[in-house]
Amino acid sequence: MSFVRHIKRRWGCAGGYGEFLAVAFPLIISTGAWALQSFINRFFLAWHSEAAFAAALPAGMLNFSIMSFFIGTVSYIDVFVSQYYGKKEYRSIGRCVWQSFYLAFAGALIIFAVSFFAKNIFDFVGHAPDIAAEEIKYFRVLCYGAFPSLAASALSGFYAGQGKTGVILQINIAGIILNVILDYLLIFGNFGFPELGIEGAGIASICASVLMSLAFIILIKSKANDEKYNTRFAALDMNFIKRLLKFGLPNGVQFFFDMAGFTFFILIIGTIGISELSATNIALNINHLAFMPLIGCGITTSILVGQYLGRNKASIAQISVQTALHVVYAYTALIVLGYIFIPNILIYPFSRGAEAGIIEQIRPMTINLLRFVALYSVFDPLNIISAAAIKGAGDTAFVMKILITLSVLAAAIPMYIVVVVLKMNLYVCWGVMVFYAGALATSFYLRYKTGKWKKMRVIEMQ
């Protein structure tokens, strides 16, 4: 009974389970929905052609790796909004959100320039000519549409920073529905639309981002929001942009290295063998869907920490972090049990269709890798929540430095040595990844425990 009383007390208190889940749940649904949308895109392209299906993942990953630097930078505006909101300095919120929007436009210009080198990039990669041709087309289209995607990331911070994540969920769902419909029309040329194949998939994604960014603009500039948050004041403020870059740029660099490290891991596994790469892809695909809720919880942690620090209530910010750890570890415990006790059920969706025979051959290897994923997952909650907590205060430079250092010294170099130099097996490489996850989690948690983040702010405080 004491445990039940503790849960009830913790549910309703400031920084408790009720407050945390109210903000986190829409974000969890949003991130999960986008993962589902990526699956549907590839599903449609697999129906269209084998070359388009094979090209979608590498071209999409390369585009997102480049985008991640700018997404991490402009989306950090939600921490500024959360601290202004907590401080009740509402009239500063509209001004700061538009500066992130302008920064998104600048980033989109850079990504647009990268599109002109698409052929050089994929010629260097050296894939088969038919696949490379599809990769070039898809990559270029995604680069052309960088602005609405970055703009949506920037503008969503207006609602994320206030904890009004239900609005973000509704707009994301609208964008995903439009994307899926346009995929069906433009990839295959249904109902009189042109058959554009992989380019149609890219255009569908751009149209969804345009819808989302326009929806955010219309809502943000409403009369009610303008009266409270001064959202129709959109003058360029270079001093604030410099401040946003000071804290947001390290966040963007960290996000980029995160993506780059994951890509390097996949490439290294590919040098071991096709079976090893296939087993790794299955294990990572299973983990990807399970991992998405943790991303939503991490964003929620940064938002609540920012709000309570804006109110100068560091003790309640700390309670919010503890709540986040309780929630994500309860969820992760269920996921880990699934990896250990029902791996065959998790693998089952991949064992249907033309590749069923191949999947059966690598099933034992995949089950073993899910054991590694289970061990890796023990560190993930501590890693994500601790990093989110200190980033919510403004400690982005530390997170960037640690991630760059460990991704090189604890991941990339050891993986290269054990696989390329020493010719060791798949499991040793995965062991390095588990060690890397543990090192990250330990570093971020120790930084969090110092309490230095409690005195940090990204906004001006009297």
Side-chain angles (χ1 to χ4, degrees), residues 331-342 370 373-375 377-378:
Y331 166 79
T332 301
L334 297 176
I335 298 301
V336 168
L337 290 174
Y339 291 149
I340 295 173
F341 294 108
I342 55 170
L370 286 176
V373 173
L375 187 57
S377 298
V378 172

Side-chain angles (χ1 to χ4, degrees), residues 148-186:
S149 179
L150 291 177
S153 295
L155 295 171
S156 65
F158 175 80
Y159 289 105
Q162 299 178 58
K164 299 175 182 178
T165 50
V167 178
I168 299 173
L169 172 61
Q170 294 171 28
I171 293 176
N172 279 342
I173 290 176
I176 291 167
I177 291 172
L178 178 63
N179 195 333
V180 172
I181 292 172
L182 291 179
D183 270 345
Y184 181 72
L185 297 176
L186 297 177

